[in-house]
């Protein structure tokens, strides 16, 4: 994670990512083979070896269609993934005239390192989070929440933007989106096979006696189920591994861009536990600076814990950890609380007025001077009197 070894880590990470994604793509063919094996077991009276040969033959016939379907899925996601993400999160693109502060911070970062300026998007949410999307230079975009803009200072915002720029520079964003796309294909094929089997398989199987199956059908179906489970689990775990391994590098890249490890640490402390985007899918949350959605222990967490990331920044970047940072409630909640609660002076004033007292209520040392009373009488509970 040290700056001098950052680029070697990036290259190694890219090679591992490509290898993992190639393996993830071939999981589609594993699922097709599992489906073919189930179909053969439900259709033919043969031993296990014969059923597996039939399934392999069916796989070769179906491979072009599976490849074309997966490629079509990828093409659609390539061109329309940002539109789908914006529809889910409510992100909107902004220009300098909309938020000169945010736009200038990102522009200065890009100019200082010769990085093409990505699009800038904002989500109206009290959550503190940000994420990057895109498959190429023309599509790259960084999205931040209004909650993050309201709670972080300029140096911390710069660190978060540097974190997301590093994801773009390292190719992490492209890899993550491809992984999500392929994992979506795997999930689709797995669910399709399960549905076909459960809706048609049992009734189809019941119309045939066990004597006609040659003893291999049951084992073939168990193998197919095992392949489905393994393929789905691997696609999920590979997605998580891609996300986890990149967050440390993105934190280090942010420090390299901004030369300010303390700002990155304080930004993580403020974001910690406050990044949940209502309505966002798990795929979107996996691309965020922090994903507060926990898995089983740390096995299924998509991000390293904030503590581990800060520990790495302190150890390798020389940052200082201020510890957990308490933040006031969002402005809207604070105004609601203030409007709903009465101050001690308001309570005293209300009690005096309701009692019909002729004296002015006591006021605190910070209260405004009392206004001159109006000369017109106002009716009280015991008859007219002057205020």
């Amino acid at each position: 994670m040290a700056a001098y070894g950052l680029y070697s880590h990036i290259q190694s990470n890219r090679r591992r990512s490509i290898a993992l994604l190639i393996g993830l793509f071939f999981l589609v063919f594993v699922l097709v083979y599992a489906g073919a094996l189930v179909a053969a077991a439900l259709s033919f009276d043969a031993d296990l070896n014969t059923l597996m040969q039939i399934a392999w033959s069916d796989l070769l016939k179906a491979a072009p269609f599976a490849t074309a379907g997966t490629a079509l899925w990828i093409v659609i996601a390539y061109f329309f993934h940002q539109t789908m993400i914006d529809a889910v999160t409510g992100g909107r693109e902004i220009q300098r005239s909309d938020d000169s502060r945010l736009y200038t911070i990102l522009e200065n970062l890009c100019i200082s390192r010769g990085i093409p300026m990505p699009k800038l998007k904002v989500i109206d949410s009290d959550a503190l989070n940000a994420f990057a999307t895109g498959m190429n230079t023309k599509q790259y975009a960084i999205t931040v929440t209004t909650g993050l803009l309201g709670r972080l200072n300029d140096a911390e915002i710069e660190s978060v933007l540097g974190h997301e720029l590093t994801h773009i520079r390292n190719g992490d964003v492209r890899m993550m989106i491809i992984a999500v796309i392929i994992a979506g294909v795997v999930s689709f094929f797995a669910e399709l096979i399960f549905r076909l089997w459960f809706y048609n398989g049992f009734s189809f199987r019941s119309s045939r006696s066990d004597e006609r199956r040659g003893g291999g059908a049951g084992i073939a179906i168990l193998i197919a189920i095992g392949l489905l489970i393994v393929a789905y689990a691997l696609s999920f775990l590979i997605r998580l591994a891609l996300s986890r391994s990149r967050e440390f590098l993105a934190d280090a890249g942010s420090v390299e861009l901004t030369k300010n490890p303390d700002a990155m640490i304080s930004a993580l402390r403020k974001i910690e536990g406050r990044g949940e985007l209502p309505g966002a899918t798990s795929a979107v949350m996996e691309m965020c600076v922090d994903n507060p959605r926990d898995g089983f222990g740390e096995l299924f967490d998509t991000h390293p814990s904030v503590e581990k990331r800060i520990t790495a920044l302190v150890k390798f970047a020389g940052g200082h950890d201020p510890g957990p940072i308490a933040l006031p409630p969002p402005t809207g909640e604070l105004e609601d609380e203030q409007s709903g609660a009465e101050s001690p002076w308001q309570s005293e004033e209300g009690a005096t007025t309701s009692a019909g007292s002729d004296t002015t209520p006591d006021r605190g040392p910070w209260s405004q001077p009392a206004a001159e009373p109006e000369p017109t009488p106002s009716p009280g509970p015991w008859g007219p009197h002057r205020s």
Side-chain angles (χ1 to χ4, degrees):
M1 180 149 164
Y4 294 105
L6 177 61
Y7 294 104
S8 62
H9 281 294
I10 292 172
Q11 294 300 323
S12 176
N13 203 21
R14 286 177 176 173
R15 289 192 293 268
R16 289 197 304 267
S17 299
I18 293 172
L20 287 173
L21 289 175
I22 291 174
L24 187 58
F25 190 85
F26 278 105
L27 289 178
V28 173
F29 297 101
V30 173
L31 291 172
V32 174
Y33 178 76
L37 191 58
V38 171
L42 297 176
S43 304
F44 298 99
D45 175 18
D47 57 25
L48 179 60
N49 289 334
T50 303
L51 292 176
M52 295 181 71
Q53 291 176 2
I54 294 172
W56 179 257
S57 177
D58 291 341
L59 170 63
L60 295 179
K61 295 177 182 178
F65 300 99
T67 303
T70 304
L72 178 61
W73 189 306
I74 293 174
V75 169
I76 293 173
Y78 181 89
F79 288 103
F80 299 104
H81 72 275
Q82 185 64 61
T83 302
M84 292 184 285
I85 291 173
D86 289 342
V88 170
T89 61
R92 53 183 173 82
E93 186 173 353
I94 65 169
Q95 302 297 330
R96 186 190 302 276
S97 57
D98 300 311
D99 192 331
S100 59
R101 168 203 180 200
L102 179 63
Y103 195 95
T104 301
I105 292 174
L106 179 59
E107 186 180 49
N108 289 341
L109 273 176
C110 294
I111 292 174
S112 66
R113 294 306 176 94
I115 304 171
M117 178 82 171
K119 298 176 183 177
L120 196 53
K121 295 177 178 285
V122 170
I123 299 173
D124 293 322
S125 172
D126 289 333
L128 277 64
N129 229 325
F131 58 88
T133 51
M135 298 284 284
N136 55 49
T137 304
K138 294 182 179 180
Q139 293 181 342
Y140 289 139
I142 295 178
T143 304
V144 299
T145 64
T146 53
L148 183 121
L149 297 178
R151 303 298 190 84
L152 272 61
N153 59 40
D154 288 1
E156 293 163 346
I157 292 175
E158 183 184 45
S159 294
V160 171
L161 294 177
H163 177 100
E164 299 305 330
L165 279 176
T166 302
H167 276 313
I168 293 175
R169 293 174 69 195
N170 294 354
D172 300 343
V173 175
R174 181 173 58 251
M175 292 295 180
M176 277 301 301
I177 291 177
I178 293 175
V180 169
I181 292 170
I182 301 298
V185 174
V186 171
S187 301
F188 172 77
F189 273 95
E191 184 175 357
L192 177 63
I193 293 172
F194 270 120
R195 286 182 180 275
L196 289 175
W197 182 38
F198 280 110
Y199 285 134
N200 300 319
F202 287 133
S203 60
F204 188 68
R205 181 176 58 186
S206 62
S207 64
R208 291 165 170 78
S209 61
D210 293 337
E211 289 79 8
R212 295 184 57 200
R213 294 197 167 275
I219 299 176
I221 291 175
L222 289 177
I223 292 175
I225 294 175
L227 290 174
L228 289 173
I229 295 173
V230 169
Y232 185 82
L234 284 177
S235 69
F236 182 71
L237 291 176
I238 287 173
R239 254 171 61 198
L240 302 187
L242 287 174
S243 178
R244 281 197 303 264
S245 63
R246 281 160 166 70
E247 294 307 317
F248 290 112
L249 288 175
D251 291 342
S254 176
V255 174
E256 185 198 28
L257 285 171
T258 64
K259 309 301 181 185
N260 192 349
D262 290 345
M264 186 72 242
I265 292 173
S266 61
L268 287 173
R269 282 299 186 190
K270 289 183 177 180
I271 294 170
E272 182 180 11
R274 303 181 177 100
E276 179 65 33
L277 294 175
T281 63
S282 59
V284 173
M285 294 304 302
E286 288 167 15
M287 293 187 290
C288 291
V289 173
D290 183 43
N291 184 3
R293 298 178 184 178
D294 296 328
F296 182 76
E298 292 189 1
L299 179 61
F300 299 115
D301 288 350
T302 62
H303 287 56
S305 66
V306 169
E307 290 294 339
K308 289 183 177 180
R309 293 166 66 179
I310 290 176
T311 299
L313 288 171
V314 171
K315 181 178 180 180
F316 295 104
H320 301 85
D321 181 15
I325 299 176
L327 295 177
T331 305
E333 296 180 9
L334 186 61
E335 290 177 353
D336 292 341
E337 292 177 3
Q338 291 175 345
S339 62
E342 293 184 345
S343 67
W345 299 282
Q346 289 174 328
S347 300
E348 293 173 6
E349 182 179 356
T352 307
T353 303
S354 63
S357 173
D358 292 334
T359 60
T360 302
D362 294 335
R363 297 181 180 270
W366 298 279
S367 303
Q368 295 294 330
E372 291 294 330
E374 297 180 1
T376 57
S378 59
W382 296 282
H385 69 279
R386 294 185 179 275
S387 300

